[in-house]
């Protein structure tokens, strides 16, 4: 029997050395960017991946040639430009989308909406036409809106499957694990903090009360820790001083989520990850919670679990912003020319 918030059964270190063999074809859309390159490197290193299809609007042949020299078995092909997008997606079982522009100091994730909404809609359209049954893993921000956009585009083609469209919020969990471990002197690889809600500011809701192993913090420290997890992306944007946003940690988190999806597709049982998906758990149409993954995507939504009064207030405070972001994404598709 699996634990509701069990630590995902595959981590990157293990995936590099596992003997599990699979021939999954995985596409990375936005493979030449700050997230796309290290993400593609991590995927190339995994025996779970048999074929790696890299797409971007520039530089992809060079990235593919570089990765192709690595002594792991995944075959790498680069595709560049809109006219090669369809070819990049044909036969793919998993599509990971880090494409889009990054945040700069002073920007919110929502400030990226106009540019990234168009990019994600275009890529989702291509997925619907070329690999409608693939697992779609969206990293492109604002995730709170780009998942509704992806879903509405897939619906237009009659191929939407809510069990196969994921907003990758894994970086919030990775950060929460790291920060809690640091404060408590624990091994971060053995810490698991579920993070629910969305993937921006106050919609990021770490459930410290459900952390494994159990940890406790005084109220003031808990509030500060929660705030740091919620604003950790801005912490990196400021530290990079105009040179971009979180890329390396996001690539790690994106790879971790992709490996979990692949493990579950291979029949591994008890694979649990949080992700932002179509949901009936709250009054929001989309909400991130721990999910039991299976061969066909989401096998079971494990829900919010028991919340403290502090966490219940965090959820209540997030609902309005989440609903607005969801509507913004849906409206964008309705108004697309």
């Amino acid at each position: 029997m699996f634990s509701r918030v069990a630590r995902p059964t595959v981590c990157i270190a293990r995936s590099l050395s596992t003997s599990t063999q699979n021939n999954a074809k995985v596409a990375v859309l936005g493979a030449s960017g700050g997230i796309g390159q290290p993400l593609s490197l991590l995927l190339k290193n995994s025996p779970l991946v048999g074929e790696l299809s890299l797409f971007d609007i520039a530089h992809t042949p060079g990235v593919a040639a570089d990765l192709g020299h690595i002594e792991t078995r995944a075959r790498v092909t680069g595709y560049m430009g809109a006219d090669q997008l369809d070819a990049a997606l044909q036969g793919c079982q998993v599509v990971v989308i880090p494409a889009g522009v990054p945040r700069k100091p002073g920007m919110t994730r929502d400030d990226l909406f106009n540019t990234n909404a168009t990019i994600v809609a275009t890529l989702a359209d291509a997925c619907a036409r070329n690999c409608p049954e693939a697992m779609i893993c969206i990293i492109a921000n604002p995730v709170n809106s780009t998942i509704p956009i992806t879903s509405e585009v897939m619906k237009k083609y009659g191929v939407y499957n809510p069990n196969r469209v994921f907003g990758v919020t894994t970086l919030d969990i990775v950060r929460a694990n790291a920060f809690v471990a640091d404060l408590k002197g624990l091994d971060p690889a053995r810490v698991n903090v579920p993070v629910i809600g969305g993937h921006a500011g106050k919609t990021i809701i770490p459930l410290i009360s459900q952390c494994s192993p159990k940890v406790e913090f005084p109220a003031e420290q808990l509030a500060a820790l929660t705030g740091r997890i919620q604003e950790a992306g801005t912490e990196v944007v400021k530290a990079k001083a105009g040179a971009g946003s979180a890329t390396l940690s996001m690539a790690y988190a994106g790879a971790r989520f992709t490996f979990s999806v692949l493990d579950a597709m291979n029949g591994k049982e008890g694979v649990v990850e949080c992700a932002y998906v179509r949901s009936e758990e709250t009054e929001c149409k989309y909400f991130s919670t721990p999910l039991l993954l299976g061969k066909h995507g989401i096998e079971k939504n494990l829900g919010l679990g028991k919340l403290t009064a502090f966490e219940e207030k965090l959820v209540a405070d997030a609902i309005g912003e989440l609903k607005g972001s969801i509507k913004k994404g849906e409206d964008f598709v309705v108004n697309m020319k």
Side-chain angles (χ1 to χ4, degrees):
M1 190 67 185
F2 58 87
S3 164
R4 198 191 75 82
V5 290
R7 188 67 188 255
T9 53
V10 61
C11 74
I12 287 179
R14 284 198 290 273
S15 79
L16 299 182
S17 59
T18 181
S19 60
T20 302
Q21 293 296 305
N22 187 31
N23 290 308
K25 183 174 182 181
V26 179
V28 179
L29 309 184
S32 299
I35 298 167
Q37 289 201 42
L39 172 60
S40 298
L41 172 62
L42 291 166
L43 295 175
K44 168 67 172 133
N45 276 329
S46 173
L48 295 168
V49 180
E51 193 171 344
L52 196 53
S53 179
L54 307 182
F55 172 82
D56 214 321
I57 57 172
H59 310 305
T60 342
V63 175
D66 198 355
L67 289 176
H69 292 177
I70 293 172
E71 55 182 355
T72 54
R73 71 187 194 92
R75 298 184 307 281
V76 185
T77 310
Y79 300 88
M80 185 172 73
D83 59 333
Q84 294 187 15
L85 176 56
D86 286 2
L89 289 168
Q90 285 165 14
C92 289
Q93 283 117 359
V94 179
V95 180
V96 191
I97 305 182
V101 296
R103 280 202 291 163
K104 294 179 180 173
M107 292 176 72
T108 66
R109 289 181 179 88
D110 204 49
D111 290 333
L112 305 174
F113 182 87
N114 289 335
T115 300
N116 287 359
T118 302
I119 292 170
V120 169
T122 300
L123 298 177
D125 184 281
C127 290
R129 290 183 288 102
N130 293 284
C131 53
E133 295 187 357
M135 305 292 179
I136 311 296
C137 308
I138 306 287
I139 292 171
N141 275 313
V143 165
N144 291 354
S145 297
T146 55
I147 285 299
I149 288 170
T150 302
S151 301
E152 293 304 311
V153 170
M154 302 291 277
K155 285 178 189 176
K156 284 189 170 186
Y157 285 91
V159 296
Y160 175 57
N161 183 340
N163 293 327
R164 293 174 179 262
V165 179
F166 305 93
V168 180
T169 61
T170 316
L171 183 51
D172 299 325
I173 292 87
V174 166
R175 286 166 166 159
N177 293 346
F179 298 167
V180 167
D182 187 50
L183 289 171
K184 292 296 186 182
L186 299 168
D187 176 358
R190 298 185 179 277
V191 175
N192 185 42
V193 180
V195 181
I196 64 171
H199 184 58
K202 69 180 183 182
T203 71
I204 298 168
I205 304 166
L207 302 182
I208 306 297
S209 72
Q210 295 181 24
C211 177
S212 175
K214 186 168 180 57
V215 295
E216 292 184 354
F217 296 95
E220 191 174 312
Q221 190 179 24
L222 177 62
L225 172 61
T226 299
R228 188 185 177 203
I229 293 166
Q230 290 176 329
E231 296 302 327
T234 302
E235 187 179 310
V236 176
V237 169
K238 287 180 178 176
K240 288 194 173 183
S245 56
T247 53
L248 301 174
S249 54
M250 185 62 249
Y252 169 90
R256 169 181 144 168
F257 185 79
T258 305
F259 296 148
S260 288
V261 168
L262 290 169
D263 254 352
M265 290 171 70
N266 284 347
K268 191 163 191 173
E269 296 184 351
V271 180
V272 176
E273 285 280 6
C274 294
Y276 182 70
V277 297
R278 186 74 173 87
S279 175
E280 306 294 332
E281 300 299 320
T282 68
E283 57 192 274
C284 292
K285 289 184 189 176
Y286 299 87
F287 203 84
S288 180
T289 45
L291 308 168
L292 176 66
L293 302 177
K295 290 185 177 182
H296 307 290
I298 301 170
E299 196 163 288
K300 184 178 181 182
N301 192 318
L302 302 178
L304 284 69
K306 185 178 180 181
L307 306 182
T308 64
F310 175 72
E311 291 161 353
E312 285 177 349
K313 185 177 187 306
L314 292 175
V315 171
D317 290 346
I319 295 294
E321 182 176 323
L322 266 177
K323 282 184 173 179
S325 297
I326 291 164
K327 186 176 187 304
K328 189 173 184 179
E330 291 175 338
D331 288 349
F332 177 82
V333 177
V334 169
N335 297 321
M336 270 172 50
K337 294 176 181 177

